[in-house]
Amino acid sequence: MIDHGHSQQEIAERINAPPGRGVLRDVVYGGIDGSVTTFAIVAGVAGAGLSPFIIVALGLANVLADGFSMAAGNYSGTKAELDNIRRIRVTEERHIRLYPDGERREVREILAQKGLTGRILEEATDAITANHDNWINLMVEGEYGLGSVDPHPLKAAIATFLAFLVAGLVPLLPFLFSVENAFVVSACMTMCVFFAIGAFKSRWSLSPWWRSGLETFAIGGVAALVAFFVGSLFHP
């Protein structure tokens, strides 16, 4: 991960426009689920000995329907999170209007837990409570543990769907192009996707890329083995 700059201008620009959580979680979530669920269908149907046409039909149906379902679910969940933040802000605005002394004591306690004491604590409390927006932002973060940057439901939904679509199509490609030993090729390609997703997300973690890749590889591999085993029980 590249370190950010520490000049006064770089600090001001970064702090005044925080990026929020971004779409990393949505991309990783959609990518893993897309590849796992689609390959689970491929493995299950192949284990049952059914035709490649059925594999493609069920796989495409899963990519489109389940991908849209996941995107819609993520949109609804993120929007519920956003609605909750807005509800809390309205609640704090009402509390500040009705119980200003009590809310001021809460600000003082939050700042005290951050290490401020004595005259500095009182001055900081005065400064925060003198600005209505800063007062509410501090309460949202300090009292409820929520970030100051609102989530974006539509952006989260689009990221989830695109990641699901791209990763979910990979297990189907050998069947779409009638590749010889399509199931083996599909399995190898899907395992590569699992590893690639894990290695990709290591960019935002402290884990080595290979360890993160192997972790995701193992999760997807277990799901595929379970699906293939269940499908093989119905093999004629």
Side-chain angles (χ1 to χ4, degrees), residues 169-185:
L169 284 175
V170 171
L172 300 177
L173 293 178
F175 298 94
L176 285 171
F177 293 100
S178 301
V179 176
E180 188 176 354
N181 296 321
F183 177 71
V184 175
V185 176

Side-chain angles (χ1 to χ4, degrees), residues 92-221:
E92 287 303 312
E93 287 178 357
R94 186 177 72 255
H95 287 178
I96 290 173
R97 185 176 66 254
L98 298 176
Y99 317 108
D101 292 339
E103 290 296 310
R104 178 185 169 84
R105 283 193 291 270
E106 290 181 357
V107 170
R108 190 179 187 280
E109 179 61 25
I110 292 171
L111 295 176
Q113 291 184 6
K114 293 181 181 294
L116 277 65
T117 58
R119 182 175 59 83
I120 295 178
L121 173 60
E122 299 303 330
E123 291 177 352
T125 301
D126 291 338
I128 292 293
T129 56
N131 184 291
H132 186 262
D133 290 336
N134 289 341
W135 191 345
I136 293 177
N137 288 338
L138 181 67
M139 299 305 297
V140 170
E141 177 187 354
E143 186 174 1
Y144 298 93
L146 299 173
S148 59
V149 181
D150 292 339
H152 300 280
L154 185 59
K155 185 186 295 185
I158 292 175
T160 300
F161 180 75
L162 292 178
F164 190 101
L165 184 66
V166 172
L169 284 175
V170 171
L172 300 177
L173 293 178
F175 298 94
L176 285 171
F177 293 100
S178 301
V179 176
E180 188 176 354
N181 296 321
F183 177 71
V184 175
V185 176
S186 176
C188 292
M189 292 176 64
T190 304
M191 293 300 109
C192 290
V193 171
F194 290 150
F195 186 86
I197 291 174
F200 169 74
K201 70 184 180 68
S202 71
R203 177 179 172 85
W204 291 269
S205 73
L206 297 177
S207 299
W209 63 269
W210 56 267
R211 179 179 298 171
S212 181
L214 289 176
E215 178 185 88
T216 309
F217 179 91
I219 293 172

Side-chain angles (χ1 to χ4, degrees), residues 3 10 33 35 38 41 43-44 50 62 82 106 117 123 146 149 199 211 220:
D3 288 337
E10 290 171 320
D33 197 74
S35 53
T38 306
I41 290 175
L50 301 180
N62 172 77
L82 180 60
E106 290 181 357
T117 58
E123 291 177 352
L146 299 173
V149 181
R211 179 179 298 171

Side-chain angles (χ1 to χ4, degrees), residues 21-99:
R21 76 179 191 191
V23 295
L24 173 64
R25 185 190 69 174
D26 307 305
V27 170
V28 172
Y29 180 45
I32 291 178
D33 197 74
S35 53
V36 167
T37 57
T38 306
F39 185 71
I41 290 175
V42 170
V45 176
L50 301 180
S51 70
F53 176 79
I54 296 178
I55 292 176
V56 172
L58 293 178
L60 287 176
N62 172 77
V63 168
L64 295 176
D66 198 17
F68 180 81
S69 176
M70 278 195 63
N74 198 10
Y75 175 86
S76 298
T78 307
K79 188 175 184 301
E81 180 182 353
L82 180 60
D83 290 341
N84 183 51
I85 294 174
R86 289 172 176 169
R87 178 190 62 82
I88 289 173
R89 293 185 69 88
V90 170
T91 299
E92 287 303 312
E93 287 178 357
R94 186 177 72 255
H95 287 178
I96 290 173
R97 185 176 66 254
L98 298 176
Y99 317 108

